[in-house]
Amino acid sequence: MSDPRTITTVELGESSRRRTSPERSLSEPARCSYTVEGRGPLLVYIPGLDGTGELFFKQKPHLVESYKVASIHLSERGKFTYDDLTDDVAAVIGDLGEERAIILGESFGGTIALWFALRYPDLIERLIVVNSFPRFRDRIRIKLAALLAPIVPFRATWLLRAAASTLGLFIDGVTGEDRRRFFKIIRAVSREGYARRLRLIADLDIEERLSQIEVPTLLVAGDKDLLVPSVKEAKRMARRMPNAEVRVVKGAGHACLLGDRLRVSDLLAR
């Protein structure tokens, strides 16, 4: 029997995406890869704005003994859409030979997870959305960020992003080696993918469609989140969704999956 801690990296082939969504245009194909580790029921992690899938490292050791964990590295090139991104998630599930999966989306990844639930409900065993939203309410801030991201030198914004991230990591108690690992990961984020993801957030508004999401859903929110009013957003979403519950994580911020206040394995055990 193979060691569940073995990590395999897979480049999702164009043929997999074509089979998943034959009607979509492939003139600017979304590119995605994923790592898979562990054994058991499939859990797919969809990352936030970094897009790397690597910031789930704190949660994986508690999951891989009981779950097969696939962490997606989101598309980086071209004018990909939410449909492209959700097609890629569906293709990962199919590529692993599974019919359904637990879908966990964090922040921007939570918006993909919600969109995925609207398009592919039959592929979801359970939906977990962490510190996310169906519409970013500070419209001026997000539209300005989306406008500037493609034209402002990426390095010029690094100090601002690093300062904001440092405060968030402090709130979640992330120190030492984990903090250094975090900054190493986000330094490798490409401007093209990052800017496109900001544009998708700026254009997103699926609040009126949430009532269509009937899969069992857990909306997780840190009550110290400085980036998104996560508790308010979770409660708003839960009021519209017929099969959703809210879990507020006391003392946790936007980076709660990197801290010690929340373990996904504990959520799944309940």
Side-chain angles (χ1 to χ4, degrees):
M1 184 176 293
S2 62
D3 188 337
R5 293 168 295 182
T6 300
I7 303 174
T8 302
T9 302
V10 180
E11 182 74 23
L12 189 62
E14 192 58 62
S15 60
S16 296
R17 287 189 296 277
R18 192 186 299 271
R19 288 195 302 271
T20 303
S21 184
E23 77 283 358
R24 86 184 230 193
S25 169
L26 298 176
S27 59
E28 290 184 292
R31 300 298 302 179
C32 140
S33 61
Y34 64 93
T35 62
V36 60
E37 183 179 359
R39 55 173 173 256
L42 177 61
L43 183 150
V44 177
Y45 168 69
I46 310 174
L49 269 177
D50 69 286
T52 66
E54 296 181 37
L55 293 179
F56 202 50
F57 65 83
K58 191 78 171 183
Q59 301 294 330
K60 277 188 178 180
H62 307 293
L63 289 167
V64 295
E65 295 294 337
S66 301
Y67 295 90
K68 183 193 301 182
V69 180
S71 297
I72 294 180
H73 187 136
L74 296 175
S75 306
E76 296 290 346
R77 301 190 300 275
K79 294 182 179 180
F80 52 83
T81 66
Y82 272 110
D83 282 354
D84 292 324
L85 296 173
T86 53
D87 284 346
D88 284 348
V89 175
V92 168
I93 296 171
D95 203 46
L96 289 169
E98 302 288 347
E99 295 184 357
R100 296 161 70 87
I102 299 166
I103 302 295
L104 189 156
E106 177 185 15
S107 190
F108 171 70
T111 69
I112 300 173
L114 292 168
W115 199 286
F116 185 80
L118 290 167
R119 298 188 71 223
Y120 291 102
D122 292 343
L123 297 184
I124 300 178
E125 183 70 33
R126 185 178 183 186
L127 183 66
I128 303 175
V129 177
V130 181
N131 289 339
S132 193
F133 46 88
R135 179 179 187 270
F136 199 90
R137 295 180 196 283
D138 190 341
R139 308 306 294 168
I140 295 176
R141 180 158 66 103
I142 190 60
K143 288 184 180 295
L144 182 62
L147 178 67
L148 294 177
I151 57 177
V152 175
F154 208 40
R155 290 182 179 274
T157 65
W158 169 250
L159 289 178
L160 181 61
R161 290 164 54 225
S165 297
T166 298
L167 179 58
L169 295 175
F170 175 78
I171 289 172
D172 282 302
V174 182
T175 58
E177 185 62 31
D178 287 346
R179 188 171 65 246
R180 288 188 288 272
R181 186 172 178 179
F182 169 86
F183 282 113
K184 181 179 179 180
I185 290 168
I186 66 170
R187 281 192 189 98
V189 174
S190 79
R191 177 166 74 172
E192 183 179 3
Y194 185 84
R196 183 59 185 167
R197 291 189 280 274
L198 282 175
R199 170 49 58 192
L200 292 182
I201 293 174
D203 294 338
L204 176 72
D205 188 352
I206 55 172
E207 194 162 29
E208 297 299 324
R209 299 178 62 194
L210 291 176
S211 61
Q212 301 171 32
I213 299 177
E214 298 180 350
V215 299
T217 302
L218 180 62
L219 302 164
V220 181
D223 70 348
K224 301 299 182 183
D225 191 342
L226 299 181
L227 183 61
V228 176
S230 295
V231 174
K232 288 183 179 179
E233 291 293 347
K235 290 179 178 179
R236 282 194 187 104
M237 287 191 284
R239 285 195 291 269
R240 292 178 178 268
M241 299 168 71
N243 199 11
E245 62 176 300
V246 175
R247 184 73 46 80
V248 176
V249 185
K250 298 291 186 182
H254 199 70
C256 63
L257 293 182
L258 289 171
D260 294 322
R261 295 184 178 90
L262 173 66
R263 283 191 181 180
V264 173
S265 56
D266 291 341
L267 296 178
L268 294 172
R270 297 181 181 180

